[in-house]
Amino acid sequence: MANNLLAGKKGIIFGALNEDSIAWKIAEKAHEQGAQFVLTNAPVAMRMGEINNLAAKTGSEVVPADATSMDDLNNLFEKAESILGGKLNFILHSIGMSVNVRKGKEYTDLNYDWLTKGWDVSAVSFHRVMQVAWQREAMNDWGSILALTYIAAQRTFPDYNDMADNKAFLESIARSFGYQWGVRNKVRVNTISQSPTPTTAGSGVKGFGGFINYAEKMSPLGNATADDCADYAISLFSDLTRKVTMQNLFHDGGFSSTGVSEAVIERFEED
């Protein structure tokens, strides 16, 4: 239901690849709620995805940018402010990648060059995005900056591999930079720790189907879908959450607070 929660708000959305992307769903909901935004992704991802279809659907423009390149990010913010006619009210960072996961490397046998690449893409890029916005003074007061994460940053999921470390790094950056943004501009910075969701990136994790089924049985409300996550993100971009910052917000149907569920006990109980 559209009720113009984001009417007049302007932003940048990173990471929409196709209709399975959480960023795609967030862009659709933001458009429904009255926001204007620029869409961006790395050039290689844009060749693989369907971002231009999303741009047409939401009346948005696409500005390619590699989030690990300061030159690309400065160009992105300059063009976004020109296209949107002013400073930003929100930024979504929905970027994550592990070469080690893609290549099937075990956590006990990581390629450290690949590890560094994963840190840069998945976590340091969030700092880069905020640093460029900070130095350009690109955010309006009381704006909102949001990134997506997963509970493997706090708890061990063996097959999530070095992505767990990347997400822990991402969450720390949100807290550290969130303090600075809050003091200077009353901008809040948060992360959403989402249920396992069948996106293009998530589906590449070994045993991902098992993750989803287990989480569904553990969560009192069931897994949160990509559409559910989009609704939550909209609330965090809106003025309804002006005093929520530096938080890692679990959006997982109660999974993170459940020790064990009856469904899981029944599944493993011996006769």
Side-chain angles (χ1 to χ4, degrees):
M1 181 182 295
N3 48 21
N4 289 320
L5 277 176
L6 303 185
K9 296 194 182 297
K10 304 168 182 180
I12 298 176
I13 294 177
F14 287 80
L17 182 67
N18 55 39
E19 291 186 349
D20 293 329
S21 305
I22 294 175
W24 186 292
K25 304 294 187 184
I26 292 173
E28 290 179 328
K29 295 279 178 89
H31 174 65
E32 291 173 7
Q33 295 292 345
Q36 295 176 285
F37 47 84
V38 165
L39 296 166
T40 186
N41 213 326
V44 63
M46 290 182 62
R47 290 194 294 272
M48 295 167 50
E50 305 161 9
I51 194 170
N52 289 324
N53 295 338
L54 179 62
K57 183 176 182 179
T58 59
S60 306
E61 291 195 36
V62 179
V63 180
D66 178 349
T68 67
S69 166
M70 299 300 282
D71 287 342
D72 279 15
L73 289 173
N74 272 293
N75 177 65
L76 167 64
F77 275 84
E78 181 178 353
K79 288 186 175 178
E81 289 186 71
S82 175
I83 291 166
L84 299 171
K87 294 185 179 184
L88 308 176
N89 303 100
F90 65 89
I91 297 172
L92 173 70
H93 178 283
S94 181
I95 305 170
M97 184 276 295
S98 166
V99 183
N100 282 297
V101 170
R102 288 183 180 179
K103 300 289 187 178
K105 296 288 283 184
E106 297 292 336
Y107 190 76
T108 53
D109 185 34
L110 294 180
N111 178 304
Y112 293 113
D113 290 334
W114 296 349
L115 178 71
T116 301
K117 180 65 174 177
W119 279 348
D120 202 13
V121 172
S122 304
V124 179
S125 66
F126 191 38
H127 193 285
R128 292 178 187 269
V129 167
M130 288 194 283
Q131 182 165 299
V132 170
W134 177 275
Q135 293 178 349
R136 297 182 65 90
E137 298 187 5
M139 294 293 295
N140 281 312
D141 289 356
W142 297 104
S144 177
I145 301 174
L146 184 62
L148 301 181
T149 186
Y150 183 57
I151 195 174
Q154 289 84 32
R155 299 185 186 176
T156 301
F157 292 81
D159 291 327
Y160 205 64
N161 209 310
D162 61 336
M163 273 303 297
D165 303 327
N166 296 342
K167 292 301 189 183
F169 194 178
L170 176 83
E171 292 173 18
S172 179
I173 289 169
R175 290 187 294 272
S176 298
F177 223 140
Y179 173 82
Q180 303 295 335
W181 274 114
V183 169
R184 193 178 82 172
N185 296 104
K186 305 303 179 188
V187 168
R188 65 256 199 211
V189 181
N190 295 291
T191 54
I192 293 178
S193 188
Q194 167 70 1
S195 294
T197 308
T199 62
T200 300
S203 299
V205 176
K206 181 181 175 183
F208 191 73
F211 273 18
I212 292 178
N213 293 334
Y214 172 71
E216 180 70 24
K217 289 183 179 296
M218 278 285 289
S219 307
L221 299 181
N223 287 333
T225 67
D227 279 313
D228 294 331
C229 188
D231 288 333
Y232 195 33
I234 295 307
S235 74
L236 291 167
F237 290 155
S238 79
D239 291 336
L240 299 177
T241 52
R242 283 161 62 100
K243 293 299 179 72
V244 180
T245 195
M246 299 163 63
Q247 301 299 308
N248 180 48
L249 301 162
F250 289 102
H251 184 251
D252 58 10
F255 177 90
S256 53
S257 293
T258 303
V260 67
S261 67
E262 292 177 350
V264 169
I265 291 173
E266 291 171 1
R267 171 67 177 79
F268 292 99
E269 191 171 39
E270 295 180 0
D271 294 332

